[in-house]
Amino acid sequence: MSSQPVEDAAPVGRVQRKRGRRVQEILSTAAELFGERGYDAVSLDDVAERLDVTKGSLYYYFPGKDELAVAAIETLGADWTGRLERLAATAEGPPHERLRALIREHVAIAVGEYPAALRLFLVPSTWPDDPRERIKELRRRHDQVFRGVLEEGLASGEFAVTGLETTLQCMHAAMAQAPLWCGGLESDARERALDELADTLVKLVAAAQ
Amino acid sequence: MSSQPVEDAAPVGRVQRKRGRRVQEILSTAAELFGERGYDAVSLDDVAERLDVTKGSLYYYFPGKDELAVAAIETLGADWTGRLERLAATAEGPPHERLRALIREHVAIAVGEYPAALRLFLVPSTWPDDPRERIKELRRRHDQVFRGVLEEGLASGEFAVTGLETTLQCMHAAMAQAPLWCGGLESDARERALDELADTLVKLVAAAQ
Amino acid sequence: MSSQPVEDAAPVGRVQRKRGRRVQEILSTAAELFGERGYDAVSLDDVAERLDVTKGSLYYYFPGKDELAVAAIETLGADWTGRLERLAATAEGPPHERLRALIREHVAIAVGEYPAALRLFLVPSTWPDDPRERIKELRRRHDQVFRGVLEEGLASGEFAVTGLETTLQCMHAAMAQAPLWCGGLESDARERALDELADTLVKLVAAAQ
Amino acid sequence: MSSQPVEDAAPVGRVQRKRGRRVQEILSTAAELFGERGYDAVSLDDVAERLDVTKGSLYYYFPGKDELAVAAIETLGADWTGRLERLAATAEGPPHERLRALIREHVAIAVGEYPAALRLFLVPSTWPDDPRERIKELRRRHDQVFRGVLEEGLASGEFAVTGLETTLQCMHAAMAQAPLWCGGLESDARERALDELADTLVKLVAAAQ
DNA sequence: GATGAATGAGTTTTCATTCAT
DNA sequence: GATGAATGAAAACTCATTCAT
């Protein structure tokens, strides 16, 4: 469509990088908004305004609202899951300690960095089909991290659960709500609330003594 | 609106009753839809179509979308909370049994009668101010029922929690998600899933033995 | 985001000017229609159709019907009053001549350029609050011009009135009706009608000889 | 449809009279509202509510909004013109006295009894064709009364005008606006304002002395 | 790359009108 | 006679999408 003569040599030129940066800005802003308000309640005007560009520009980078939403979810998810996976891989100590650490990290990311984006882990129905699938996928990947630790703990006999799936569901559900009641707290109170949440959820896997 | 046997004093004639019935039809349909999809994703055309009337008719009964939503939430909530309250009042046995019964009933109502309306107990933000307040209020009343049983169990030493509020939040969060993973199951599998859920959540209050 | 109908001074680029021109087109069309038929009887579709655009475009420039109406009134008023004020400032001769000139100009503008918009000087009630206030304001400014000449004439003894306010009211009322009976006339007949109107109204201030 | 045995004898029976009374109530209420707000801004619900009946009932008496409006105007007009005609016929004194009396009576009826209905004498365009014609007709009849006195005065040389039509138009226009600036006044102040108005308008026909 | 402008389909809301009872 | 109920057309407003520049 456009014509940049010698362009094949450098596959990632200055221009590409700049484009990449722009895309990232857009995605993180979009993730914020979709996380806060859900799909329907966010208009492209909202996104554009927060970025201080025009709606039209968004269409230069994304073919439509759905695709923007999908990409936003994906980016957010990649970062997020990556950090959890790294934590799961490096954390020391008994499964019970590691589970606690995962829970705290998960919610800390949510509350601190993607305010309200945890919502994405619930409420799938109002989203269009495509984004919805991505959300499920994202959730599966998160699940996987937690499932790993749980299975370890179960294998070693440190954990006991009524049902693995059910336990995972309950954990995720509770974590997804956390920003709603921790979001407004001052940093100290918030830390305490998160500790309490982690302690409470760990009870779900407590082996009867 | 309700039905008190000897009632001739109040001019609740045939007409009034008929209107009442119609309003109820509308409300339960609206509650269904709003519960399923949330506020934004439901248009008055959707509601009207499911009732097989025209949009205009809805305006004969309600002044607007918000008011319809509020009324729907209120009706649904009144029925729901009522049943839980009655159960809490009449249930026998140790707190731990009664809590289990409450959880099962709560989720059973949701899954069976108000498919997906449990969503209302989460996700407040996308709703307009007025309905949002009603939703919060509804949640508070539900909370009250569970809180009562929890406090009893704590007083008697049968329960132990890290934090009462946090525990309640986790319970509600988990219950609110239940329809998403139990909704599709066959009746047998579903029963088992609900049992498992109840057992899992009861662990949240288990006193270390 | 969009819709600053009344432009500020400084950064007026090509784009701004183009926008300004468009806004002016819209405003004058709207002023025409609102003047002709009043607020209720004009739909945005009417305005859009006369401009040969879609309703949606209007919302690109103005946030709503009220705001469009207000802006239209304001623009129309600014032009109109400006011309009267200039005439009042430059007109020569005895007050009686100048009053006559003002009346003729006032009605000529109305009949010729804003067909029927004189209506705006009457009929306050059917308009929403905000536009109504603007209309009153507009009227006050017109009043001021006429009042000035009247006071001069009274001071010099050339005029005599029963009551200043009443006289002004009568004048305005009569002028506002003029398009209704002069509007349809051929240019010659119309000129004569306007002359007659001016002569008739000047009698209101005639000093008894 | 119903069966009242001996009923054919009296063509205007009890029933007819009752109907007549009901129709009168409706008409005067409608006249009030249409006078106050104009055609568009009055809904049949408004009329029905002020009468404390249902919209449906209005359709029992009138085939539609237009017809109701026409009838309302007609009734109001009949009463009004009748009183003016009687006054014109019986008033004593020089034309100038009689004109003054007519003006005062006309405006007094408007301000006192049909608040704001004087509006009907202006602003015809927003009304549907049929009612508009009736309004014009009503106006013509009023005109006739004033025209009569004016012609008398002209014939006797007591009056002098620039143009008869123009003078009549100006008078009506001014009178039609009167409620707007006299309506809010206390009874004393209002009397004085009406006197002033009459005096001012009489100047329109003053013969140069 | 980016923007302003325009569009058209869809949503909420209003209201004159009809009709069975 | 009168009412409650329902309808459908039209109006205000929103917003994802397109496009020329």
Side-chain angles (χ1 to χ4, degrees), chain C residues 4-195:
Chain C
Q4 271 120 356
V6 187
E7 310 292 314
D8 332 287
V12 184
R14 220 176 315 126
V15 178
Q16 297 294 327
R17 269 198 306 280
K18 195 166 169 194
R19 180 183 178 94
R21 248 178 287 133
R22 198 89 186 87
V23 166
Q24 283 311 316
E25 280 178 62
I26 296 176
L27 287 179
S28 73
T29 301
E32 248 175 66
L33 282 166
F34 283 126
E36 274 170 38
R37 306 191 210 150
Y39 186 83
D40 288 307
V42 173
S43 79
L44 291 187
D45 268 320
D46 293 336
V47 180
E49 193 183 13
R50 191 173 287 197
L51 284 162
D52 203 40
V53 296
T54 57
K55 221 182 345 183
S57 302
L58 298 180
Y59 281 91
Y60 180 70
Y61 293 99
F62 300 93
K65 191 183 180 184
D66 279 24
E67 288 81 0
L68 172 57
V70 166
I73 291 165
E74 220 104 88
T75 313
L76 173 157
D79 171 42
W80 197 330
T81 328
R83 289 162 70 175
L84 290 188
E85 284 168 348
R86 242 166 292 133
L87 180 62
T90 62
E92 304 278 325
H96 150 279
E97 281 300 325
R98 296 169 58 204
L99 178 60
R100 218 178 161 282
L102 272 180
I103 293 171
R104 285 238 27 178
E105 175 75 354
H106 185 62
V107 182
I109 291 174
V111 174
E113 285 163 74
Y114 300 114
L118 261 179
R119 178 98 37 82
L120 295 174
F121 290 96
L122 327 159
V123 210
S125 47
T126 211
W127 291 75
D129 287 343
D130 201 33
R132 178 152 72 248
E133 283 315 307
R134 305 310 176 106
I135 293 176
K136 282 190 189 165
E137 173 61 22
L138 168 57
R139 194 187 156 141
R140 261 191 295 276
R141 288 182 55 200
H142 270 101
D143 230 56
Q144 212 47 46
V145 184
F146 286 85
R147 186 187 307 268
V149 182
L150 252 65
E151 281 170 348
E152 243 178 83
L154 289 170
S156 74
E158 269 182 274
F159 290 172
V161 298
T162 314
L164 179 55
E165 293 311 319
T166 303
T167 303
L168 277 167
Q169 297 276 8
C170 290
M171 273 186 179
H172 276 295
M175 291 190 297
Q177 289 300 341
L180 263 62
W181 82 80
C182 304
L185 302 176
E186 286 307 311
S187 74
D188 257 21
R190 180 189 290 178
E191 289 305 306
R192 254 175 291 123
L194 295 186
D195 279 332

Side-chain angles (χ1 to χ4, degrees), chain B residues 2 5 8 12 14 22 37 51 68 81 86 94 97 104 106 108-110 114 125 133 145-146 149 151 153 158 180 191:
Chain B
S2 66
D8 18 286
V12 182
R14 223 173 316 125
R22 198 88 186 87
R37 306 191 210 151
L51 284 162
L68 172 57
T81 328
R86 244 167 288 133
E97 282 300 328
R104 283 239 29 179
H106 184 61
I109 291 174
Y114 298 113
S125 48
E133 285 314 307
V145 183
F146 286 85
V149 182
E151 281 170 347
E158 267 182 277
L180 262 60
E191 289 304 307

